[in-house]
Amino acid sequence: MFVLTACSSSGVEFDFTEPLMEPAEAIRFEVPDELVEMDQEYAERRLLDSVTVSATEAEDPSECAVRYEFGYTDELFERLVEFSEQYYDERPPQDAAYYAFTRVSADGSEMEEDYSSAVVQVKCALSPSDDENTVEVRLVNTFDDGDVSLGASAFVKAEVSVMQSGELFIQNYEVDGWQLDSNGNWVKG
């Protein structure tokens, strides 16, 4: 099973099967097809196919920032937009999606109007192993037969830190309800 493959000269793909040991300028997170096929509930209710995270320029030069690029599944994306537009009366409708995917308060967020990307400000990591200053990457699925209005839960999530140099490091990651056995097979856990 391959874990990391180049998506560009400076980016990698991460499929939650093994730790990422080297820094990257961009990381594309996705659930392996094998696992999607094994978990029918996730396959039917997932909102995202992938999330790509890369370092970007921060508003405050003493801090760091990451850009999220969201790869949506077509069917549930429309329901997410409808929910987001109904959920907030006084705030931009992108706030609901922003929080669901990043777990960062939407105050001061920079979610694009078409929901394609968002920028999150974060304190720069002090070292490659700094697990205190991180952002969360979440590939979510909806509750109760795709009813986005009832919320979303993370099927997979990872914590990512960014150095002032723009290098990204994965600090922690988990897959809800699944584990890899010693032979590299997904099993319920």
Side-chain angles (χ1 to χ4, degrees), residues 121-188:
Q121 307 296 316
V122 63
K123 290 184 179 180
C124 297
L126 301 175
S127 71
S129 61
D130 182 352
D131 61 0
E132 296 293 317
N133 300 306
T134 61
V135 292
E136 194 168 90
V137 176
R138 301 163 46 90
L139 281 99
V140 299
N141 56 307
T142 60
F143 297 146
D144 294 336
D145 299 322
D147 185 354
V148 178
S149 66
L150 296 177
S153 66
F155 183 67
V156 295
K157 58 184 171 182
E159 301 233 354
V160 177
S161 60
V162 59
M163 300 283 290
Q164 183 73 39
S165 63
E167 295 175 313
L168 300 171
F169 296 89
I170 298 174
Q171 299 301 326
N172 301 302
Y173 62 92
E174 66 181 74
V175 179
D176 185 35
W178 293 90
Q179 299 178 49
L180 281 172
D181 68 14
S182 60
N183 294 322
N185 300 308
W186 289 103
V187 294
K188 287 272 191 182

Side-chain angles (χ1 to χ4, degrees), residues 63-139:
E63 293 189 344
C64 291
V66 294
R67 173 176 296 283
Y68 289 77
E69 294 179 27
F70 305 110
Y72 293 97
T73 58
D74 293 330
E75 181 181 320
L76 289 179
F77 176 69
E78 294 304 319
R79 282 194 231 165
L80 172 70
V81 172
E82 288 173 22
F83 164 65
S84 297
E85 289 172 349
Q86 294 171 5
Y87 187 74
Y88 287 103
D89 294 331
E90 300 174 13
R91 295 177 146 187
Q94 291 81 4
D95 287 2
Y98 183 86
Y99 183 75
F101 301 148
T102 66
R103 278 304 186 240
V104 174
S105 169
D107 294 334
S109 69
E110 295 181 38
M111 174 73 101
E112 293 293 326
E113 284 188 32
D114 66 358
Y115 299 79
S116 63
S117 66
V119 173
V120 174
Q121 307 296 316
V122 63
K123 290 184 179 180
C124 297
L126 301 175
S127 71
S129 61
D130 182 352
D131 61 0
E132 296 293 317
N133 300 306
T134 61
V135 292
E136 194 168 90
V137 176
R138 301 163 46 90
L139 281 99

Side-chain angles (χ1 to χ4, degrees), residues 28-97:
R28 178 183 165 97
F29 294 86
E30 58 186 16
V31 177
D33 290 338
E34 171 189 3
L35 184 53
V36 173
E37 291 172 14
M38 292 174 69
D39 194 312
Q40 284 299 304
E41 184 175 320
Y42 174 70
E44 293 171 8
R45 297 180 180 180
R46 65 188 175 151
L47 292 172
L48 300 168
D49 288 322
S50 67
V51 175
T52 301
V53 177
S54 57
T56 190
E57 188 174 330
E59 292 175 7
D60 179 343
S62 68
E63 293 189 344
C64 291
V66 294
R67 173 176 296 283
Y68 289 77
E69 294 179 27
F70 305 110
Y72 293 97
T73 58
D74 293 330
E75 181 181 320
L76 289 179
F77 176 69
E78 294 304 319
R79 282 194 231 165
L80 172 70
V81 172
E82 288 173 22
F83 164 65
S84 297
E85 289 172 349
Q86 294 171 5
Y87 187 74
Y88 287 103
D89 294 331
E90 300 174 13
R91 295 177 146 187
Q94 291 81 4
D95 287 2

